[in-house]
Amino acid sequence: MPRDLTGLLAPSSIAVVGASATPGKIGHALFSNVVAFPGPVYGVNPSRSQILGRPCVPAVDDLPESVTLAIIAVPPADALRALAACGRKGIRNAVVITAGFKEQGGAGIERERELVRIASQYGMNVLGPNAFGLISPRAGLNATFAPRGAFAGAIAFISQSGALGSAVLDWAWQNEVGFSFFVSLGNKAVLTETDFLPALARDRETMVIAAYLEGIEDGPEFVRVAGEVTREKPVLVLKAGATEVGARAASSHTGALAGSDRAYEAAFRRGGVLRVRSVEELLEAAVALSEQPLPRGRRLGIVSNAGGPAILAADAAVEHDLAVPPLSPPTVRSLAERFPTASIANPVDILADASAAGFRDAVDLVLSDPGVDMGLVLTAPHPILTFAELARILAASHRKHGKPAVASFLAGELGEEAEKTLRAAGIPAYFEPARAVRALATLARYREIRDRPLSVRPPPAADRARARELLASGSPRLGVESLGLLAAYGVPIARGGLARSAGEAAALAQDLGERVVLKVVAPGIIHKSDVGGVRIGVPAHEVGGAYREMVGLAPAAGVYVQELLPPGQEVIVGIVRDPTFGALVMFGLGGVFVEALGDVAFALAPLSAPEAEELVRGIRGFPLLAGMRGKPPVHLADLVAVVERISHLAAEFPEIAELDVNPILCYPDRVVAVDLRVTVSGAEGLPRGRGQP
Ligand code: COA
């Protein structure tokens, strides 16, 4: 059940604990903002009966009514007492501005536990602690201590960093960008981003949710909720801590445990979250998504009176996977009639002396073209052109055609003016053409996310009892002798068996062909090949002798005798368990491609068949699997099925801490798993639950 955050986001009465009459104090700045609220506002302060014209009571218990929202800004120990008093009074929503909790370590951690305990005792929605506050412009609520508030608008902004939130507020004020809600999460002791997503998505004025996050605590729940929300509203996330150094800074900032970046990437993809890489991109994408319609596809039409910037824009389009296709013949004819000396290819260059009317006609023609999904207008300063006029034209044009249109002005002061004029008309405008293209690409990405088919991941038929039995062998590490684990999930494996004597080895070899592969099975040996523990192409009559040599390498359970397969394209499928998001599936080409080039892709387990195919196609080396230079393609459907099945094995057995199927040999007509390494948690030698979510 999602939490009901109505009382927090749209309260009817408010108390500020720690309201102060002393300028320079947070309690004063905060109360100065809160008093603008149109409903009843009370201060709680032991030594005042009135502050800024509002009544004050000495303690929460003395409030004349049980308000909907309490904002707490008193030193930490007092904050806990005040929160408990609010709970007793029946107040169900609180914003705790006070710092000195988990982020401080030591006693702060215990204080935060106490805060969570109080919140759950009274069933309270608590934002923070260590939060910058909350703004709900339509409700007339500014519960922050920011020097300026926010305009009402269509962007819901969530920030895990108060300072970043404050900076964004200031930027938005200057650029006249409005918010439906502004939420500073602070330490997320009780309420997290996951609680806010559904509430913000339900709000009719909210067109886009933009978030700055340093970590996510409830990984699987976040992915589930985001998956639902992003079908209705776009969610943009700037995730800090992508690098190891950054991740350490994130931990010390709010005490958040940043998970690995690969896992976040996979989780955002699964949840349909649009990941951005900078504050600038976050804001620009939020503005574009809040103001523009979504394109039907990725085909961009460019109109310009400046050749160079148009080429830059076309380059950026390639980088962002947007097409800049030739225009349709009727569009080309009409453009040629209207602009006899212009360059009519896409980009359309209507030359330096283009007037506003010229732009109007060109934009109109290009956006009317059925082969164009979105438009970009580029210009440099020119005496004939008035930007106000151009802004009007563009605004009218995108309304008329229902296609997104953005602008880029390469200019100094004149450009700034133009950008403001355009923004006022609801047209995002940028100095740099590449930024304009990036914003359009985000619109296209969101369109694809919104329209993606619902994923159904039916568990494959499998012999789960057999898999459970193999995993419960008591050994923390399983190898090639446990290939049956994969077979239990329907993954084709190379034929073979474990021999415990030279005689058994020779007998097994008889059934496997003239030459076989021998692999020592010894718990102490992790890299078999490095110590001569793998012999390839051993003639059947030499198997007995080879057996005796190999078991002498280390205390060994025996030697695995396996059929010798012809060379094929090697791939690897792996499983790792991320502490935040659970099982991740990795796919890559085997050998040097994994080790030297790191050409691998990750996704959250379990996978549907289309998701498994997306993962396989997601590596740079995919053309090698698709067949090139006369080599036939591998059997893609079988490979996809193998990836899908291994992903389900991982999802269904959390005791699999790590798993490598390496290599899997791929041929045009089949795919065969040849070797396996599994680390089982809970088995002897490894602590129970290691690496589990
Ligand atoms: N109930 C009601 N009022 C109380 C109170 C209580 N239990 N305890 C103190 N007050 C009053 C004080 O008398 C004072 O009012 P006054 O100015 O009229 O004397 C006011 O509340 C503030 O208390 P004070 O002791 O002066 O605290 P402070 O202003 O020095 O610090 C915080 C309070 C919350 C600002 C501070 O503890 C803090 O956490 N600062 C960091 C906040 C932060 O960075 N948050 C994260 C943002 S991203």
Side-chain angles (χ1 to χ4, degrees):
M1 259 301 268
R3 280 174 182 263
D4 180 3
L5 300 182
T6 319
L8 189 76
L9 297 172
S12 45
S13 52
I14 302 171
V16 177
V17 184
S20 171
T22 314
K25 281 198 174 188
I26 283 185
H28 181 262
L30 174 68
F31 203 56
S32 309
N33 285 336
V34 176
V35 289
F37 180 69
V41 172
Y42 306 94
V44 179
N45 181 306
S47 48
R48 300 265 173 178
S49 60
Q50 231 192 32
I51 297 175
L52 299 171
R54 298 294 179 129
C56 261
V57 293
V60 171
D61 293 331
D62 304 316
L63 284 168
E65 59 172 314
S66 167
V67 293
T68 2
L69 172 65
I71 304 153
I72 299 177
V74 289
D78 293 323
L80 287 180
R81 278 192 287 274
L83 187 68
C86 289
R88 285 195 302 273
K89 186 94 186 164
I91 301 169
R92 292 292 167 258
N93 303 284
V95 177
V96 181
I97 304 282
T98 309
F101 288 81
K102 184 175 79 177
E103 83 286 357
Q104 205 180 53
I109 297 176
E110 193 38 53
R111 263 199 291 275
E112 188 147 319
R113 278 203 200 107
E114 179 60 10
L115 180 145
V116 174
R117 201 195 54 71
I118 296 169
S120 73
Q121 181 182 349
Y122 296 105
M124 298 172 86
N125 292 320
V126 178
L127 180 63
N130 189 26
F132 183 58
L134 168 77
I135 305 179
S136 187
R138 271 179 292 136
L141 170 67
N142 179 353
T144 70
F145 51 92
R148 288 196 288 220
F151 300 107
I155 301 171
F157 188 81
I158 307 176
S159 182
Q160 192 172 345
S161 155
L164 190 107
S166 157
V168 164
L169 276 182
D170 197 53
W171 172 90
W173 187 272
Q174 189 194 345
N175 289 280
E176 297 177 15
V177 169
F179 295 100
S180 54
F181 298 100
F182 170 94
V183 180
S184 157
L185 294 169
N187 290 2
K188 305 196 282 188
V190 177
L191 294 179
T192 70
E193 55 286 331
T194 310
D195 296 304
F196 281 95
L197 288 181
L200 300 178
R202 262 196 312 274
D203 175 59
R204 289 168 61 143
E205 301 295 320
T206 299
M207 300 301 290
V208 52
I209 300 166
Y212 165 83
L213 298 175
E214 290 164 6
I216 288 173
E217 271 71 29
D218 48 354
E221 182 64 2
F222 173 85
V223 173
R224 189 189 67 73
V225 170
E228 287 174 8
V229 163
T230 53
R231 290 190 178 276
E232 287 172 46
K233 303 271 165 88
V235 176
L236 293 156
V237 172
L238 172 60
K239 161 74 176 64
T243 58
E244 254 185 60
V245 177
R248 272 201 300 278
S251 303
S252 54
H253 186 52
T254 57
L257 268 174
S260 87
D261 197 57
R262 296 270 204 187
Y264 274 96
E265 190 70 41
F268 289 155
R269 210 174 323 113
R270 173 66 59 86
V273 168
L274 295 156
R275 186 176 194 182
V276 294
R277 298 287 170 179
S278 65
V279 179
E280 177 191 79
E281 190 185 353
L282 180 69
L283 298 170
E284 289 180 354
V287 169
L289 282 159
S290 70
E291 291 177 348
Q292 292 289 307
L294 296 178
R296 268 175 322 183
R298 291 187 160 261
R299 297 164 304 177
L300 171 64
I302 302 173
V303 177
S304 143
N305 70 347
I311 301 171
L312 287 174
D315 286 350
V318 172
E319 199 179 308
H320 290 283
D321 273 340
L322 298 183
V324 187
L327 300 169
S328 68
T331 310
V332 172
R333 269 197 301 280
S334 306
L335 281 166
E337 271 169 33
R338 173 69 176 84
F339 305 100
T341 54
S343 158
I344 302 302
N346 188 12
V348 176
D349 184 354
I350 54 173
L351 306 183
D353 55 357
S355 64
F359 267 104
R360 180 195 59 213
D361 296 345
V363 170
D364 210 23
L365 284 166
V366 169
L367 284 186
S368 310
D369 190 313
V372 168
D373 301 312
M374 53 189 139
L376 167 62
V377 173
L378 293 161
T379 179
H382 196 278
I384 304 177
L385 203 59
T386 82
F387 290 122
E389 179 65 1
L390 191 56
R392 217 179 42 71
I393 288 164
L394 282 179
S397 198
H398 95 80
R399 269 194 296 274
K400 180 164 136 196
H401 298 287
K403 296 179 182 178
V406 304
S408 161
F409 289 99
L410 276 107
E413 262 177 48
L414 280 176
E416 273 176 32
E417 265 318 296
E419 281 182 24
K420 272 202 177 143
T421 315
L422 279 154
R423 283 204 181 123
I427 303 288
Y430 313 85
F431 172 83
E432 178 77 45
R435 281 162 55 195
V437 170
R438 184 175 65 185
L440 287 168
T442 307
L443 297 179
R445 267 166 74 201
Y446 180 58
R447 174 72 190 237
E448 289 154 6
I449 287 169
R450 206 195 56 179
D451 293 351
R452 66 185 175 164
L454 270 176
S455 244
V456 191
R457 305 179 188 91
D463 185 350
R464 292 178 171 79
R466 174 76 184 130
R468 191 164 297 114
E469 189 187 321
L470 286 166
L471 287 167
S473 71
S475 168
R477 291 210 170 71
L478 307 178
V480 65
E481 76 290 351
S482 301
L483 270 174
L485 185 63
L486 301 180
Y489 268 71
V491 174
I493 58 169
R495 288 184 303 132
L498 178 63
R500 295 180 191 276
S501 69
E504 262 180 51
L508 274 166
Q510 289 304 317
D511 295 336
L512 295 172
E514 280 173 23
R515 288 173 182 272
V516 293
V517 178
L518 301 180
K519 297 176 178 176
V520 70
V521 176
I525 300 177
I526 293 175
H527 297 288
K528 296 187 291 276
S529 313
D530 296 356
V531 293
V534 178
R535 294 195 187 179
I536 294 170
V538 182
H541 66 273
E542 289 177 17
V543 164
Y547 177 95
R548 278 184 284 275
E549 285 167 27
M550 289 174 80
V551 289
L553 289 171
V559 169
Y560 196 80
V561 187
Q562 196 172 49
E563 66 175 318
L564 176 65
L565 287 162
Q569 180 64 59
E570 292 187 11
V571 301
I572 172 171
V573 176
I575 299 294
V576 286
R577 214 159 276 278
D578 179 76
T580 304
F581 295 104
L584 280 177
V585 189
M586 184 193 82
F587 175 77
L589 294 179
V592 66
F593 293 98
V594 171
E595 282 159 29
L597 304 176
D599 183 15
V600 290
F602 285 85
L604 289 192
L607 298 169
S608 64
E611 286 164 345
E613 182 165 345
E614 195 185 322
L615 183 71
V616 169
R617 288 181 182 273
I619 58 167
R620 289 194 303 279
F622 178 72
L624 288 169
L625 298 171
M628 60 187 296
R629 304 246 163 116
K631 274 177 105 183
V634 306
H635 200 293
L636 187 62
D638 278 8
L639 177 57
V640 165
V642 162
V643 174
E644 183 194 356
R645 283 164 180 276
I646 294 174
S647 82
H648 280 273
L649 170 69
E652 290 173 22
F653 288 95
E655 60 266 50
I656 299 177
E658 280 171 34
L659 176 149
D660 269 355
V661 191
N662 183 27
I664 296 173
L665 285 171
C666 302
Y667 306 101
D669 58 344
R670 65 182 184 138
V671 168
V672 187
V674 170
D675 213 334
L676 174 72
R677 199 185 303 164
V678 187
T679 308
V680 186
S681 67
E684 204 180 319
L686 276 178
R688 172 109 228 143
R690 172 181 172 272
Q692 289 178 25

